[in-house]
Amino acid sequence: MKMNNMYSVAALSFAVIALLCGCSKDVVPGNNENETVQISIEASGPALKTYVEGERIYWSPTGDQLNVLYKGFDGNGNLMSSTRQTSTNADYTITDGKASFTAGFSTIDGSKTYKFGAFYPYENKSITSTISLTVPKTQTPTTTSFDPKADILVTSGVTVSEGLPDKLSFEMNRMVALVEMTLVGIGVGEKISTVEITASKKINGAVEFNLFAENMLDEAKFYNNYETMTLEMGDRVATGSDVVWFTTVPTDLSGGSFSVKVTTDKNIYEKTANLTGKTFNFKRAEVARFKIAGMTCTPKPQVYKILTDASDFGVGDKFVICSAN
C-alpha cells in the first residue's frame, strides 16, 4: 500500500463552543499585557495519525499533542516578535474519526498578520530557523501499530492569517518511513522481549525542517546516523507470525543487507537478508512491508543469580547448590 503524502488538518476555530456554532471567541487574560486565545483544532482524515488498524491510520485515543509555532507581523511585513510556540492540550475528544484539540495563543502587540506552522510529536524546542526531531533509536510498538512517538508530521507550508483567525487549515506531511515487518517462525507462546535491527547502511537518525520555509519539503534534510535500532516488545506473546511496526528516516538499502535478532524468554532468533541485486527502500510517507522467515534458533543462555538468603526464593524457583570447589 502506498500512502498519500499529504494529511488534512481541518478547520481550526476559536473555543470549544465554536465546534458547534463556529462564531465565538473565548479570550482569556494572559501575561505581558497580551491576550491568550483558546483555539479549537479539529483534525480529520483517515490516513492521518497515529496508530494503524488494517489499512488505516488513526489518531491515538490519548496522548497526541501538536506543537504550534507562530509569528506576528505589522502592516509593513516587519516581524513584531520572536517566534512563539504553544502546544495543544493533553485532553481532546475523537468523534467520527476527528480529533478536537484546544491550544492557547497569545496576541502579539502591533501585529496585523500572523503566520502559523505545526509539527508532531510535541517537543518544546529552542526556536531557530530550523527544527530537528530525532526518530527514536529505541521504539516501543504496540501489537497493531508503530510507536506514536516515532512518527513525525510537519505542516506542508506557511498558513497566513490577517489577525488571529476564526479558522485555519493545516496540511501535514509525514516525514518518516513506516515499516511493517512480519516475523515468521517464532515459537508459539514464547515471550518476545526485544527485536534488534542492523542494516548495512544507516537507517535511523533525525529530520531537520523549517516550518516557515516556502517549500518545506524541498528544503527538509534527513540525517542517517545509526545502523542499528531496538524495538522494545514488552514480552509480547508470539503467535508464529508476528507483525512488528517501526519507523525510520528514508533509506535505500538496495544491494546491501538487513539483519534481525529476536530475543524471547527461551530462544534467540537471527536472520540476515542479503539484498545483493535487490531493491529494498524505506521511502518517506510510504509503508514498506516484508517478511523475515527461516531464522536460526539458538536456546537462550540460562542466567544464574547468586542467593545467600533462603527468603529470596519464590514458589517454582529452581536452584543449584554448589560446593566450595
Side-chain angles (χ1 to χ4, degrees), residues 1 3 51-57 139-147 150 177-183 195 197 229-233 236 242-248 286-289:
M1 178 187 72
M3 285 198 174
Y51 74 93
V52 177
E53 184 177 286
E55 297 293 315
R56 302 180 68 189
I57 298 179
Q139 300 179 17
T140 307
T142 69
T143 55
T144 59
S145 179
F146 52 89
D147 184 342
L178 304 180
V179 183
E180 181 192 56
M181 177 176 65
T182 302
L183 305 173
V195 178
I197 298 167
M229 62 184 301
T230 300
L231 308 178
E232 296 286 352
M233 302 296 290
R236 182 192 303 182
D242 298 279
V243 174
V244 180
W245 285 87
F246 60 95
T247 74
T248 75
E286 295 186 15
V287 179
R289 288 184 166 94

Short mmCIF file of all heavy atoms in Angstrom, two decimals, residues 1 3 51-57 139-147 150 177-183 195 197 229-233 236 242-248 286-289:
data_model
loop_
_atom_site.label_atom_id
_atom_site.label_comp_id
_atom_site.label_asym_id
_atom_site.label_seq_id
_atom_site.Cartn_x
_atom_site.Cartn_y
_atom_site.Cartn_z
N MET A 1 0.83 -1.18 0.00
CA MET A 1 0.00 0.00 0.00
C MET A 1 0.87 1.24 0.00
O MET A 1 1.81 1.37 0.77
CB MET A 1 -0.87 0.03 1.26
CG MET A 1 -1.73 1.29 1.36
SD MET A 1 -2.58 1.39 2.95
CE MET A 1 -1.21 1.79 3.99
N MET A 3 0.97 5.16 0.74
CA MET A 3 0.18 6.13 1.46
C MET A 3 0.31 7.51 0.83
O MET A 3 1.37 7.89 0.34
CB MET A 3 0.63 6.22 2.93
CG MET A 3 0.16 5.05 3.73
SD MET A 3 0.25 5.45 5.46
CE MET A 3 -0.52 4.01 6.14
N TYR A 51 -2.00 5.57 14.97
CA TYR A 51 -1.89 4.12 15.10
C TYR A 51 -2.58 3.48 13.91
O TYR A 51 -3.40 4.10 13.23
CB TYR A 51 -2.47 3.61 16.43
CG TYR A 51 -3.97 3.61 16.53
CD1 TYR A 51 -4.72 2.48 16.21
CD2 TYR A 51 -4.65 4.74 16.96
CE1 TYR A 51 -6.10 2.48 16.32
CE2 TYR A 51 -6.03 4.75 17.07
CZ TYR A 51 -6.75 3.62 16.75
OH TYR A 51 -8.11 3.62 16.86
N VAL A 52 -2.23 2.24 13.66
CA VAL A 52 -2.68 1.57 12.43
C VAL A 52 -3.67 0.47 12.77
O VAL A 52 -3.50 -0.27 13.73
CB VAL A 52 -1.48 0.96 11.68
CG1 VAL A 52 -1.95 0.21 10.45
CG2 VAL A 52 -0.48 2.04 11.31
N GLU A 53 -4.74 0.40 11.99
CA GLU A 53 -5.70 -0.69 12.11
C GLU A 53 -6.09 -1.08 10.69
O GLU A 53 -6.75 -0.32 10.00
CB GLU A 53 -6.91 -0.25 12.92
CG GLU A 53 -7.91 -1.37 13.16
CD GLU A 53 -9.07 -0.91 14.03
OE1 GLU A 53 -8.85 -0.74 15.25
OE2 GLU A 53 -10.15 -0.68 13.49
N GLY A 54 -5.63 -2.24 10.27
CA GLY A 54 -5.86 -2.63 8.88
C GLY A 54 -5.08 -1.73 7.94
O GLY A 54 -3.87 -1.63 8.04
N GLU A 55 -5.78 -1.05 7.05
CA GLU A 55 -5.14 -0.18 6.07
C GLU A 55 -5.24 1.29 6.46
O GLU A 55 -4.87 2.16 5.68
CB GLU A 55 -5.78 -0.39 4.69
CG GLU A 55 -5.61 -1.78 4.14
CD GLU A 55 -4.16 -2.08 3.81
OE1 GLU A 55 -3.49 -1.24 3.21
OE2 GLU A 55 -3.69 -3.18 4.19
N ARG A 56 -5.72 1.59 7.66
CA ARG A 56 -5.97 2.98 8.02
C ARG A 56 -5.14 3.38 9.22
O ARG A 56 -4.80 2.57 10.07
CB ARG A 56 -7.46 3.20 8.31
CG ARG A 56 -8.37 2.83 7.16
CD ARG A 56 -9.82 3.07 7.49
NE ARG A 56 -10.10 4.49 7.64
CZ ARG A 56 -11.26 4.98 8.11
NH1 ARG A 56 -12.20 4.15 8.51
NH2 ARG A 56 -11.44 6.28 8.20
N ILE A 57 -4.83 4.67 9.27
CA ILE A 57 -4.09 5.24 10.40
C ILE A 57 -5.01 6.24 11.10
O ILE A 57 -5.65 7.07 10.46
CB ILE A 57 -2.81 5.93 9.92
CG1 ILE A 57 -1.89 4.89 9.24
CG2 ILE A 57 -2.08 6.60 11.08
CD1 ILE A 57 -0.62 5.48 8.71
N GLN A 139 12.37 2.06 20.05
CA GLN A 139 10.95 2.31 19.86
C GLN A 139 10.13 1.23 20.57
O GLN A 139 10.61 0.11 20.78
CB GLN A 139 10.61 2.34 18.36
CG GLN A 139 11.36 3.42 17.60
CD GLN A 139 11.04 3.44 16.12
OE1 GLN A 139 10.04 2.88 15.66
NE2 GLN A 139 11.90 4.10 15.34
N THR A 140 8.90 1.59 20.91
CA THR A 140 8.00 0.67 21.61
C THR A 140 6.73 0.51 20.80
O THR A 140 5.73 1.22 21.04
CB THR A 140 7.69 1.18 23.03
OG1 THR A 140 8.92 1.45 23.72
CG2 THR A 140 6.90 0.14 23.81
N PRO A 141 6.71 -0.37 19.82
CA PRO A 141 5.49 -0.56 19.03
C PRO A 141 4.42 -1.27 19.84
O PRO A 141 4.70 -1.96 20.82
CB PRO A 141 5.97 -1.44 17.86
CG PRO A 141 7.14 -2.18 18.41
CD PRO A 141 7.81 -1.25 19.39
N THR A 142 3.17 -1.10 19.42
CA THR A 142 2.07 -1.85 20.02
C THR A 142 1.87 -3.12 19.19
O THR A 142 2.59 -3.37 18.23
CB THR A 142 0.77 -1.03 20.03
OG1 THR A 142 0.31 -0.86 18.67
CG2 THR A 142 1.01 0.34 20.64
N THR A 143 0.89 -3.91 19.54
CA THR A 143 0.65 -5.15 18.79
C THR A 143 0.13 -4.87 17.39
O THR A 143 0.23 -5.72 16.51
CB THR A 143 -0.36 -6.04 19.53
OG1 THR A 143 -1.55 -5.29 19.78
CG2 THR A 143 0.22 -6.53 20.85
N THR A 144 -0.41 -3.67 17.15
CA THR A 144 -1.02 -3.38 15.85
C THR A 144 -0.43 -2.15 15.18
O THR A 144 -0.89 -1.79 14.09
CB THR A 144 -2.54 -3.15 16.00
OG1 THR A 144 -2.76 -2.05 16.91
CG2 THR A 144 -3.22 -4.40 16.52
N SER A 145 0.56 -1.50 15.78
CA SER A 145 0.98 -0.23 15.22
C SER A 145 2.41 0.12 15.61
O SER A 145 3.02 -0.49 16.49
CB SER A 145 0.05 0.88 15.68
OG SER A 145 0.45 2.13 15.17
N PHE A 146 2.91 1.15 14.95
CA PHE A 146 4.21 1.72 15.31
C PHE A 146 4.07 2.56 16.59
O PHE A 146 2.98 2.95 16.99
CB PHE A 146 4.76 2.58 14.17
CG PHE A 146 3.80 3.62 13.65
CD1 PHE A 146 3.76 4.89 14.21
CD2 PHE A 146 2.95 3.34 12.60
CE1 PHE A 146 2.88 5.86 13.75
CE2 PHE A 146 2.06 4.30 12.12
CZ PHE A 146 2.03 5.56 12.69
N ASP A 147 5.20 2.86 17.20
CA ASP A 147 5.26 3.74 18.36
C ASP A 147 4.83 5.14 17.91
O ASP A 147 5.48 5.74 17.05
CB ASP A 147 6.69 3.76 18.90
CG ASP A 147 6.86 4.58 20.16
OD1 ASP A 147 5.97 5.40 20.47
OD2 ASP A 147 7.89 4.40 20.84
N ALA A 150 7.34 7.81 17.53
CA ALA A 150 8.34 7.63 16.48
C ALA A 150 7.86 8.15 15.14
O ALA A 150 8.51 7.97 14.12
CB ALA A 150 8.73 6.16 16.36
N ALA A 177 9.53 7.06 7.24
CA ALA A 177 9.06 5.88 6.53
C ALA A 177 8.46 4.92 7.54
O ALA A 177 8.98 4.77 8.66
CB ALA A 177 10.20 5.21 5.78
N LEU A 178 7.35 4.28 7.17
CA LEU A 178 6.71 3.29 8.04
C LEU A 178 7.08 1.89 7.55
O LEU A 178 7.12 1.63 6.35
CB LEU A 178 5.20 3.45 8.02
CG LEU A 178 4.65 4.83 8.40
CD1 LEU A 178 3.12 4.81 8.33
CD2 LEU A 178 5.11 5.25 9.77
N VAL A 179 7.33 0.99 8.50
CA VAL A 179 7.74 -0.37 8.16
C VAL A 179 6.85 -1.37 8.90
O VAL A 179 6.69 -1.29 10.12
CB VAL A 179 9.21 -0.63 8.51
CG1 VAL A 179 9.63 -2.03 8.08
CG2 VAL A 179 10.11 0.43 7.87
N GLU A 180 6.29 -2.32 8.14
CA GLU A 180 5.52 -3.42 8.71
C GLU A 180 6.30 -4.71 8.42
O GLU A 180 6.35 -5.18 7.29
CB GLU A 180 4.13 -3.50 8.10
CG GLU A 180 3.28 -4.63 8.68
CD GLU A 180 2.03 -4.87 7.84
OE1 GLU A 180 2.17 -5.12 6.63
OE2 GLU A 180 0.94 -4.81 8.40
N MET A 181 6.91 -5.26 9.43
CA MET A 181 7.74 -6.45 9.30
C MET A 181 7.04 -7.63 9.99
O MET A 181 6.63 -7.53 11.14
CB MET A 181 9.12 -6.20 9.95
CG MET A 181 10.06 -7.39 9.94
SD MET A 181 11.70 -6.95 10.63
CE MET A 181 11.25 -6.56 12.35
N THR A 182 6.90 -8.74 9.27
CA THR A 182 6.28 -9.93 9.84
C THR A 182 7.36 -10.96 10.15
O THR A 182 8.13 -11.36 9.27
CB THR A 182 5.25 -10.54 8.87
OG1 THR A 182 4.26 -9.56 8.57
CG2 THR A 182 4.58 -11.75 9.49
N LEU A 183 7.44 -11.37 11.40
CA LEU A 183 8.41 -12.37 11.84
C LEU A 183 7.74 -13.74 11.81
O LEU A 183 6.75 -13.98 12.51
CB LEU A 183 8.90 -12.05 13.26
CG LEU A 183 9.48 -10.64 13.47
CD1 LEU A 183 9.77 -10.40 14.93
CD2 LEU A 183 10.75 -10.46 12.63
N VAL A 195 13.41 -6.82 19.65
CA VAL A 195 13.78 -7.08 18.26
C VAL A 195 14.86 -6.07 17.90
O VAL A 195 14.62 -4.86 17.95
CB VAL A 195 12.58 -6.94 17.31
CG1 VAL A 195 13.02 -7.16 15.86
CG2 VAL A 195 11.48 -7.93 17.68
N ILE A 197 17.53 -4.56 15.12
CA ILE A 197 17.67 -4.45 13.68
C ILE A 197 19.02 -3.81 13.36
O ILE A 197 19.38 -2.79 13.95
CB ILE A 197 16.52 -3.60 13.09
CG1 ILE A 197 15.18 -4.30 13.35
CG2 ILE A 197 16.73 -3.35 11.61
CD1 ILE A 197 13.99 -3.42 13.09
N MET A 229 18.86 -0.30 15.52
CA MET A 229 17.77 0.20 16.35
C MET A 229 17.18 -0.98 17.11
O MET A 229 17.36 -2.14 16.74
CB MET A 229 16.71 0.90 15.51
CG MET A 229 16.01 0.02 14.49
SD MET A 229 14.86 0.96 13.45
CE MET A 229 13.76 1.64 14.68
N THR A 230 16.49 -0.67 18.21
CA THR A 230 15.92 -1.70 19.08
C THR A 230 14.44 -1.45 19.26
O THR A 230 14.02 -0.31 19.53
CB THR A 230 16.62 -1.71 20.45
OG1 THR A 230 18.01 -1.98 20.27
CG2 THR A 230 16.01 -2.78 21.35
N LEU A 231 13.65 -2.50 19.14
CA LEU A 231 12.22 -2.43 19.38
C LEU A 231 11.92 -3.15 20.69
O LEU A 231 12.19 -4.35 20.83
CB LEU A 231 11.45 -3.07 18.24
CG LEU A 231 11.81 -2.58 16.83
CD1 LEU A 231 11.00 -3.33 15.78
CD2 LEU A 231 11.58 -1.08 16.71
N GLU A 232 11.42 -2.42 21.66
CA GLU A 232 11.05 -2.99 22.96
C GLU A 232 9.65 -3.58 22.84
O GLU A 232 8.67 -2.86 22.64
CB GLU A 232 11.09 -1.92 24.04
CG GLU A 232 12.47 -1.33 24.29
CD GLU A 232 13.39 -2.27 25.04
OE1 GLU A 232 12.90 -3.33 25.50
OE2 GLU A 232 14.59 -1.96 25.17
N MET A 233 9.55 -4.90 22.97
CA MET A 233 8.30 -5.60 22.68
C MET A 233 7.45 -5.91 23.91
O MET A 233 6.33 -6.39 23.79
CB MET A 233 8.60 -6.90 21.93
CG MET A 233 9.38 -6.69 20.63
SD MET A 233 8.46 -5.74 19.42
CE MET A 233 7.20 -6.94 19.00
N ARG A 236 5.70 -9.53 24.47
CA ARG A 236 4.55 -9.88 23.65
C ARG A 236 4.56 -11.39 23.39
O ARG A 236 5.59 -11.96 23.05
CB ARG A 236 4.58 -9.13 22.33
CG ARG A 236 3.37 -9.42 21.44
CD ARG A 236 3.54 -8.90 20.03
NE ARG A 236 3.81 -7.48 19.98
CZ ARG A 236 3.96 -6.81 18.84
NH1 ARG A 236 3.90 -7.46 17.68
NH2 ARG A 236 4.20 -5.53 18.87
N ASP A 242 4.24 -12.91 13.52
CA ASP A 242 4.10 -11.73 14.37
C ASP A 242 4.45 -10.47 13.61
O ASP A 242 5.57 -10.30 13.13
CB ASP A 242 5.00 -11.88 15.60
CG ASP A 242 4.62 -13.07 16.45
OD1 ASP A 242 3.67 -12.95 17.24
OD2 ASP A 242 5.25 -14.14 16.30
N VAL A 243 3.48 -9.56 13.53
CA VAL A 243 3.67 -8.29 12.83
C VAL A 243 4.30 -7.28 13.79
O VAL A 243 3.82 -7.08 14.91
CB VAL A 243 2.33 -7.76 12.30
CG1 VAL A 243 2.50 -6.36 11.70
CG2 VAL A 243 1.76 -8.72 11.26
N VAL A 244 5.36 -6.65 13.33
CA VAL A 244 6.07 -5.65 14.12
C VAL A 244 6.21 -4.38 13.28
O VAL A 244 6.70 -4.42 12.16
CB VAL A 244 7.47 -6.15 14.53
CG1 VAL A 244 8.18 -5.08 15.35
CG2 VAL A 244 7.36 -7.45 15.32
N TRP A 245 5.76 -3.26 13.84
CA TRP A 245 5.86 -1.96 13.17
C TRP A 245 7.02 -1.15 13.72
O TRP A 245 7.32 -1.20 14.91
CB TRP A 245 4.57 -1.17 13.37
CG TRP A 245 3.40 -1.62 12.56
CD1 TRP A 245 2.49 -2.60 12.90
CD2 TRP A 245 2.99 -1.12 11.29
NE1 TRP A 245 1.55 -2.73 11.92
CE2 TRP A 245 1.83 -1.84 10.91
CE3 TRP A 245 3.49 -0.15 10.43
CZ2 TRP A 245 1.16 -1.59 9.72
CZ3 TRP A 245 2.83 0.10 9.24
CH2 TRP A 245 1.68 -0.62 8.90
N PHE A 246 7.65 -0.35 12.85
CA PHE A 246 8.62 0.63 13.31
C PHE A 246 8.75 1.72 12.25
O PHE A 246 8.18 1.62 11.16
CB PHE A 246 9.98 0.01 13.64
CG PHE A 246 10.67 -0.70 12.50
CD1 PHE A 246 11.62 -0.06 11.72
CD2 PHE A 246 10.40 -2.05 12.22
CE1 PHE A 246 12.26 -0.72 10.68
CE2 PHE A 246 11.04 -2.71 11.19
CZ PHE A 246 11.98 -2.04 10.42
N THR A 247 9.47 2.79 12.57
CA THR A 247 9.69 3.88 11.63
C THR A 247 11.19 4.12 11.47
O THR A 247 11.98 3.82 12.37
CB THR A 247 9.03 5.19 12.09
OG1 THR A 247 9.77 5.75 13.17
CG2 THR A 247 7.58 4.96 12.52
N THR A 248 11.55 4.68 10.33
CA THR A 248 12.94 5.06 10.08
C THR A 248 12.95 6.38 9.30
O THR A 248 11.91 6.83 8.82
CB THR A 248 13.69 4.01 9.23
OG1 THR A 248 13.26 4.11 7.86
CG2 THR A 248 13.46 2.61 9.74
N GLU A 286 5.61 6.34 3.06
CA GLU A 286 5.09 5.10 2.50
C GLU A 286 5.32 3.96 3.49
O GLU A 286 6.11 4.08 4.43
CB GLU A 286 5.76 4.78 1.17
CG GLU A 286 5.45 5.80 0.07
CD GLU A 286 6.01 5.40 -1.27
OE1 GLU A 286 6.40 4.22 -1.42
OE2 GLU A 286 6.08 6.26 -2.16
N VAL A 287 4.61 2.85 3.26
CA VAL A 287 4.75 1.67 4.11
C VAL A 287 5.53 0.60 3.37
O VAL A 287 5.15 0.19 2.27
CB VAL A 287 3.38 1.11 4.53
CG1 VAL A 287 3.56 -0.13 5.40
CG2 VAL A 287 2.59 2.16 5.29
N ALA A 288 6.65 0.15 3.94
CA ALA A 288 7.39 -0.99 3.40
C ALA A 288 6.93 -2.24 4.15
O ALA A 288 6.95 -2.27 5.39
CB ALA A 288 8.89 -0.79 3.59
N ARG A 289 6.51 -3.26 3.42
CA ARG A 289 6.01 -4.49 4.03
C ARG A 289 6.85 -5.67 3.56
O ARG A 289 7.07 -5.83 2.36
CB ARG A 289 4.54 -4.71 3.67
CG ARG A 289 3.57 -3.77 4.36
CD ARG A 289 2.13 -4.14 4.02
NE ARG A 289 1.18 -3.48 4.91
CZ ARG A 289 0.59 -2.33 4.64
NH1 ARG A 289 0.85 -1.71 3.51
NH2 ARG A 289 -0.25 -1.79 5.49
#
